[in-house]
Amino acid sequence: METIALGIVQNIKDLDTQMLLGINHMHSAYWDSFMWLVTDKYVWIPLYISLIYVIFRNHSSKSFLWCAVAIGLMILITDNFNSQWLRPWIGRLRPSNLDNPISSMVHVVNDYRGGPYGFPSSHSSNTWGIVFFVAFLFRKYWLNSFLAAWAILVCYSRSYLGVHYPGDLFVGMLLGLTGAILAYLLFAYVTGEKPKKEIKHGYLPVIVVSVTFAGIIITSFFYHF
């Protein structure tokens, strides 16, 4: 039984590696620049501001403050706990890490290899944490679908750049879901708020992402390594 279990784990790891290399090897100068900008968390600061604005406009001052506390709790789980405790404890090397046997096969952009460990992905857990938390707050299919597409693109960029296996990203998504659930339960328990079906200014994050995305597309034609 133990041999079978180990064989299954090895098959999953082999598939994870094959998927990573398949994504990572489909590269070009343009897509290197494009994915480099997509993965930059500072590029998406306008999106984060727009989401905070939408949350503020659709909740009372008291509820907004508790929402901020809940988001802080979520970040502690998806970012601090993950990067400082979970990843070092698991100790799975990033594909691009020079100590990883497959590192010579990984295409690296702008000499970026990230930290030593990558499981689970903090980019994925933070991004999906935001998506799930917003989905719990607002029952707007079009907004949540748009944000989910954004999260998928961000996660894809991490494998494209060779710093995360797809498995890192998938488990990061589950961690983001866990953090969002705990944060929302706290928020709902303290405030008694129900998910909102009608929201003010819900279009704003969509506009911000669309403009940012257009800027990335255009900039990538001129910004190469």
Side-chain angles (χ1 to χ4, degrees), residues 1-221:
M1 184 65 70
E2 182 179 352
T3 302
I4 295 175
L6 289 174
I8 293 174
V9 171
Q10 187 58 50
N11 288 337
I12 293 174
K13 291 174 65 176
D14 291 344
L15 178 61
D16 207 17
T17 299
Q18 292 171 15
M19 292 175 62
L20 174 278
L21 293 176
I23 295 170
N24 176 254
H25 287 177
M26 293 187 295
H27 61 85
S28 67
Y30 175 82
W31 288 114
D32 284 358
S33 299
F34 180 89
M35 293 300 175
W36 178 261
L37 293 172
V38 166
T39 207
D40 189 340
K41 59 185 178 181
Y42 297 108
V43 167
W44 300 109
I45 287 178
L47 169 61
Y48 307 145
I49 294 174
S50 71
L51 289 172
I52 292 172
Y53 175 77
V54 171
I55 293 172
F56 174 76
R57 289 303 305 270
N58 287 276
H59 293 88
S60 66
S61 298
K62 180 180 178 181
S63 293
F64 176 74
L65 290 175
W66 276 110
C67 191
V69 172
I71 292 173
L73 170 64
M74 182 178 70
I75 293 174
L76 282 175
I77 296 171
T78 62
D79 192 88
N80 295 68
F81 171 72
N82 183 30
S83 60
Q84 295 182 22
W85 297 95
L86 193 56
R87 283 197 298 193
W89 177 67
I90 295 173
R92 189 188 194 192
L93 294 174
R94 293 178 186 267
S96 56
N97 189 289
L98 292 175
D99 291 328
N100 192 319
I102 73 164
S103 63
S104 61
M105 296 184 284
V106 176
H107 172 69
V108 175
V109 177
N110 201 27
D111 295 324
Y112 173 63
R113 296 182 181 273
Y117 306 120
F119 183 92
S121 163
S122 288
H123 262 77
S124 178
S125 60
N126 289 328
T127 302
W128 281 107
I130 292 171
V131 173
F132 287 126
F133 188 75
V134 171
F136 294 148
L137 287 177
F138 306 122
R139 297 298 168 86
K140 281 296 182 181
Y141 178 79
W142 55 269
L143 174 60
N144 299 330
S145 297
F146 193 86
L147 291 176
W150 163 72
I152 290 171
L153 178 61
V154 171
C155 287
Y156 183 88
S157 73
R158 303 303 287 167
S159 282
Y160 178 94
L161 295 173
V163 293
H164 281 296
Y165 294 95
D168 301 348
L169 301 167
F170 178 72
V171 176
M173 180 185 69
L174 297 180
L175 182 60
L177 175 60
T178 301
I181 289 174
L182 294 175
Y184 182 74
L185 287 176
L186 171 66
F187 170 76
Y189 176 77
V190 174
T191 64
E193 293 270 1
K194 302 293 184 181
K196 297 183 181 298
K197 296 182 180 180
E198 298 299 327
I199 60 175
K200 303 173 184 176
H201 306 288
Y203 58 85
L204 185 59
V206 175
I207 294 175
V208 170
V209 170
S210 299
V211 171
T212 304
F213 187 60
I216 290 173
I217 291 174
I218 295 171
T219 303
S220 299
F221 281 108

